[in-house]
Amino acid sequence: MKLKEISALLLLFSAIEYQVPARANAYPGPGAQLTFTDSIPGVRKVEDVVIYRNEKFHAAFPSVIKKKNGEIVLAFRRAPDRKVFGEKGTNHVDPNSYLVSVKSKDGKTWTSEPELIYSHPFGGSQDPCLLQLKDGTILCASYGWAFLRPDGMENLKKPYFLAGGAVFLGGYVLRSTDGGKSWLGPLYPPHIEQEINYTAMGEKLPAYNRGAMYEGKNGRIFWVVAATDRQSPNKTSNHLLISDDKGLTWKYSAPVAVDEEVSFNEASVYETPKGDVVAFLRTAGLDDQACIARSVDGGKTFTAWEKMGFQGHPLHALRLPDNRVLLSYGYRHKPLGIRARILNAECTDFATAPEIVLRTDGGTTDLGYPWAVQLDKNRVLVSYYFNVPGGPQHIAGSILEIR
């Protein structure tokens, strides 16, 4: 999607295979940017892998889990590369945008033909966000877009959100109790009061987000969603929903980040060992700064949001075996690529944690959205969507050794 076309979308949130060789040294830019092979003590990038690539498709927005049987499942959004139809470009909004998955036993070798997770009956779907619960139940959060004919557009209930010629449908959740073989849903989360838009059907927009949910130690599921709270100029804010029944129903808990000028959208949530609920926030209107908000009372209230001191979006938090947190994020500034930091257990050292540069060879800014999973005791896969000069958007990953 062109930058002009996605500017409004960012406010809302926003196989031919080849091996990309791992580089020996990273971009030696300012601050604490570090090398690939000797980033911080005990951290080493092993290799980059191509997870799914097909010249006929635009593949993006991965999320990944490791099932209890050891199988790694990666979900992503796949839509036609519109050049196969003779069109000039490809948008992130497409009527044939489906949720699909590939599988692996080791994080390096993946099934070549994706399996369908879900095809929305009223339009294209985006950003499948997986969460595996302690009992093995898998949740997949997504959201959809409807493509209306001109006479339908004339009858839309206002306000509504339009991007790439499609009307926003809001969020939904899929649920699997058999390891992803079948899916129940869609289950629709509640509309939250702060959301002003309506769906293409004239209904109040159900809550939505692109970002990681988190199951807390008491079994509660936290989900930071986005809401358009102002139309002109368009602005979004973040809010916490909680489920006490394994994702079947959701209740509003608290505002997470709200500002008169800054938009907060694609957010991932995490619970620390102490029990703090931490939200890692993507922003718009803040020079691409990553932000954080924290709750010390289980999500009832959040302290004021603050800048984390670096650029990047969106962010994903993975708890490591020693309780440190691998925070990965896309980097859409030169040199384009993927970056990460390792935070302490309570995520309080975000301003001083050194930056690890995983990739600097991106072809365009249409890349990022990392999502990490623990492969074994010492290795992590950071998945993301990527492109190299002259190549299509595809799903790739970097395997890190973290000791």
Side-chain angles (χ1 to χ4, degrees):
M1 183 181 287
K2 296 179 180 178
L3 288 177
K4 290 183 180 179
E5 294 174 328
I6 66 170
S7 59
L9 180 59
L10 292 180
L11 293 174
L12 261 183
F13 321 85
S14 164
I16 299 175
E17 296 188 349
Y18 73 103
Q19 189 73 29
V20 180
R23 295 186 177 185
N25 296 295
Y27 171 72
Q33 297 170 354
L34 304 167
T35 65
F36 285 160
T37 54
D38 188 19
S39 53
I40 61 177
V43 179
R44 181 177 70 93
K45 186 173 88 162
V46 178
E47 63 181 311
D48 296 326
V49 296
V50 172
I51 296 172
Y52 176 81
R53 171 176 166 144
N54 189 313
E55 303 287 340
K56 295 181 179 179
F57 292 98
H58 183 288
F61 313 121
S63 65
V64 61
I65 60 171
K66 184 178 180 181
K67 292 165 55 178
K68 292 183 177 296
N69 65 4
E71 183 179 58
I72 304 161
V73 178
L74 183 142
F76 61 99
R77 169 265 196 197
R78 190 180 81 159
D81 186 317
R82 304 304 294 190
K83 291 191 292 290
V84 302
F85 303 121
E87 299 177 19
K88 293 182 179 180
T90 298
N91 292 341
H92 285 174
V93 178
D94 194 284
N96 296 107
S97 179
Y98 306 139
L99 309 184
V100 300
S101 68
V102 289
K103 299 175 181 178
S104 175
K105 295 181 180 180
D106 59 7
K108 295 175 60 175
T109 304
W110 295 81
T111 52
S112 59
E113 187 59 31
E115 297 179 11
L116 179 68
I117 295 176
Y118 188 67
S119 171
H120 200 294
F122 294 110
S125 289
Q126 292 288 109
D127 297 67
C129 299
L130 296 178
L131 172 66
Q132 180 175 227
L133 306 183
K134 296 180 181 69
D135 68 355
T137 298
I138 302 174
L139 303 181
C140 180
S142 183
Y143 51 90
W145 300 89
F147 290 74
L148 277 65
R149 297 174 179 174
D151 55 339
M153 294 294 296
E154 295 174 357
N155 296 319
L156 282 174
K157 188 171 184 177
K158 298 179 180 179
Y160 58 86
F161 187 79
L162 183 70
V167 180
F168 192 49
L169 289 170
Y172 63 88
V173 178
L174 305 172
R175 194 169 180 272
S176 176
T177 57
D178 58 8
K181 296 177 182 178
S182 62
W183 295 89
L184 171 69
L187 307 173
Y188 290 99
H191 167 84
I192 66 174
E193 182 181 354
Q194 293 81 0
E195 175 62 59
I196 64 173
N197 285 320
Y198 291 88
T199 71
M201 292 83 159
E203 301 164 348
K204 291 183 176 180
L205 200 74
Y208 63 93
N209 183 39
R210 192 279 176 188
M213 303 173 178
Y214 198 84
E215 183 182 21
K217 53 189 173 184
N218 65 356
R220 307 188 89 185
I221 303 172
F222 302 104
W223 187 20
V224 175
V225 299
T228 298
D229 53 25
R230 188 178 67 201
Q231 187 178 34
S232 183
N234 188 282
K235 184 178 73 69
T236 57
S237 53
N238 279 143
H239 304 264
L240 180 67
L241 299 185
I242 293 177
S243 175
D244 288 310
D245 56 9
K246 301 185 185 299
L248 289 171
T249 61
W250 300 86
K251 293 182 179 179
Y252 185 88
S253 182
V256 175
V258 182
D259 189 83
E260 283 299 313
E261 302 297 330
V262 180
S263 278
F264 301 95
N265 37 65
E266 295 167 323
S268 288
V269 65
Y270 176 77
E271 184 187 66
T272 72
K274 191 175 74 174
D276 287 3
V277 179
V278 180
F280 298 100
L281 314 170
R282 179 179 182 174
T283 63
L286 196 64
D287 191 32
D288 200 23
Q289 291 291 313
C291 287
I292 188 172
R294 182 182 298 263
S295 172
V296 297
D297 57 9
K300 296 177 183 178
T301 61
F302 281 80
T303 57
W305 62 271
E306 58 181 310
K307 297 179 183 178
M308 298 179 73
F310 58 90
Q311 293 174 305
H313 60 256
L315 304 105
H316 178 264
L318 172 70
R319 179 178 294 186
L320 299 172
D322 62 2
N323 282 342
R324 289 181 299 163
V325 175
L326 176 67
L327 187 69
S328 52
Y329 48 94
Y331 192 75
R332 294 183 173 184
H333 308 271
K334 292 183 179 181
L336 307 170
I338 309 297
R339 304 188 176 198
R341 295 166 190 257
I342 295 181
L343 310 184
N344 62 25
E346 293 300 315
C347 303
T348 57
D349 61 343
F350 51 83
T352 57
E355 184 169 70
I356 306 166
V357 182
L358 301 182
R359 299 286 294 265
T360 61
D361 55 336
T364 74
T365 57
D366 191 18
L367 53 74
Y369 287 73
W371 201 293
V373 67
Q374 194 83 36
L375 296 178
D376 54 41
K377 183 179 179 180
N378 295 320
R379 295 185 309 133
V380 169
L381 170 70
V382 181
S383 67
Y384 41 82
Y385 85 98
F386 209 69
N387 62 77
V388 293
Q393 279 73 13
H394 59 278
I395 306 301
S398 296
I399 296 177
L400 305 182
E401 184 178 79
I402 304 176
R403 295 187 179 274

